[in-house]
Amino acid sequence: MMGLLAMTACQKGSTFTVEGTIEGAKDSTLYLYNRSLSGIVLLDSVVLDADGDFRFSPQAPVGGPDLYVLRVNNQWLNLAIDSTETVTVKAKMPGMAQNYTVSGSEDCVKLRELALMHSQLQERVFQVEQNTQLMGQTMVDSLNAMLRRYKDEVTLNYIFQAPQSAYAYFALSQTLNHLYWSTAPIFQLNDSLDGRAYRAVATCWKEYYPESERAQQLYNMVERDITSSRIAAARRQQLQEEDKIVVSDIIDLQLPDLQGHLRTLSELRGKVVLLDFHLFSLPESGARILKLRELYDRYHDRGLEIFQVSIDPDEHFWKQAVTSLPWISVYDPEGESCISYNVQAVPEFFLIDRNNALQKRSSQIEDLDRELESLL
């Protein structure tokens, strides 16, 4: 099975329980999986007898809710577990995926509703795609209208009702299979309406479950999308206002630091400047800051200054992140400075010499220490 990972170790701690009965599945194997971010992880299995009774008690999730799956043959049933609850499932084969009840967890009840709605949507999509009277743009318009109705219902009645819930997260992860093209996510982060749903869930999960990997993953996705949107908007504005950009040897920047003082690149004439564009919410931020600290400690006394531009949308988060940094940290949540320097993605950096002349960007630098030595 693609993406199947073996559970290699059991950690001590609290457990949750999934129990119940699967009728009509004598001698079939029932599997319990964790739908982890890295793949499907097998937790336990049992061969069902004539009664179909089963009971699993694996390690409880840590940091926040997690998603699980029960499978018999090709029938899948989705579950969500928050901590140490007991979930009871009663199902019948064949058709377990549609023919089951669940109790003991509101999240699991809502997941069942979403799964049944999704199954009906999938069937309608196949019907539209098989309809020979609908061709080209007419088919696309019909599918888009169908998806919009589904997403509006799910957003209003599930996601916005409880954005901190496991079922809200699950709703965003739903996909559709198509007859004529590959599987695609139902909710698209770059869609303006869908984006509101993503941001609601990401914000609540980050607040309720700050240690959850799922919360961090979702929040990072939203942050990247916001950053990309701001860069695109700033690029459009730049094209309209090119005459307002002042360029001499460098494109000067004027941005507020932690104390609210406006800092500029031009004030650093006489120093070698590493102009750095950064996003502190990225997972790799911590390691990159350590490397910059090593460079700063090694070369600052010889004339190196770091001018770091943060484009994090959360100003409070940025202030907390830069409090102890020794170099110049400025804030540009709209990302206009990124456009001025044609930054396509962050992190990114440039080297500026003592005469305030722009020398190289990161892609042109093979050995940063050697470049700094030559400029200092």
Side-chain angles (χ1 to χ4, degrees), residues 61-65 82 205 208-213 215:
V62 177
D82 182 63
W205 270 63
Y208 280 78
Y209 320 113
E211 304 302 320
S212 166
E213 290 185 8

Side-chain angles (χ1 to χ4, degrees), residues 79-275:
L79 302 173
I81 301 296
D82 182 63
S83 56
T84 59
E85 63 263 46
T86 295
V87 175
T88 302
V89 175
K90 296 185 181 299
K92 294 181 180 181
M93 291 287 286
M96 179 183 78
Q98 284 77 40
N99 192 15
Y100 76 95
T101 61
V102 61
S103 59
S105 166
E106 178 68 13
D107 276 330
C108 290
V109 171
K110 294 295 186 180
L111 253 65
R112 177 181 180 275
E113 294 174 7
L114 285 166
L116 293 176
M117 290 169 58
H118 176 267
S119 177
Q120 294 167 3
L121 173 66
Q122 182 68 79
E123 181 60 32
R124 291 198 299 272
V125 167
F126 282 158
Q127 290 175 359
V128 169
E129 292 175 343
Q130 289 175 317
N131 188 342
T132 57
Q133 296 180 347
L134 296 176
M135 302 295 290
Q137 191 61 44
T138 303
M139 176 186 289
V140 172
D141 291 343
S142 179
L143 290 172
N144 285 339
M146 185 186 304
L147 287 174
R148 188 70 266 164
R149 288 193 297 271
Y150 177 83
K151 291 193 289 186
D152 287 346
E153 180 179 359
V154 171
T155 299
L156 180 63
N157 296 325
Y158 292 88
I159 295 176
F160 285 169
Q161 288 294 324
Q164 79 284 0
S165 67
Y167 62 82
Y169 180 101
F170 174 82
L172 292 179
S173 70
Q174 288 184 314
T175 61
L176 272 181
N177 296 318
H178 294 276
L179 292 177
Y180 305 113
W181 60 91
S182 61
T183 299
I186 294 177
F187 284 85
Q188 302 282 344
L189 185 53
N190 60 359
D191 178 278
S192 60
L193 295 177
D194 296 356
R196 292 174 56 205
Y198 269 100
R199 288 190 292 275
V201 177
T203 301
C204 284
W205 270 63
K206 189 172 186 293
E207 178 180 353
Y208 280 78
Y209 320 113
E211 304 302 320
S212 166
E213 290 185 8
R214 292 187 184 276
Q216 190 60 53
Q217 178 219 36
L218 189 59
Y219 191 78
N220 288 341
M221 288 171 56
V222 170
E223 291 286 272
R224 288 189 177 95
D225 180 70
I226 291 173
T227 300
S228 297
S229 298
R230 285 175 172 165
I231 289 176
R235 180 175 289 112
R236 291 192 295 269
Q237 182 176 355
Q238 183 196 29
L239 293 175
Q240 297 171 358
E241 303 182 2
E242 285 184 342
D243 59 321
K244 296 182 181 180
I245 298 176
V246 178
V247 181
S248 54
D249 292 329
I250 57 169
I251 301 173
D252 204 4
L253 302 177
Q254 188 179 57
L255 295 166
D257 63 13
L258 186 60
Q259 288 74 40
H261 302 143
L262 291 178
R263 305 300 299 269
T264 64
L265 285 172
S266 56
E267 74 186 57
L268 298 175
R269 180 179 291 272
K271 294 182 178 293
V272 172
V273 180
L274 190 153
L275 171 60

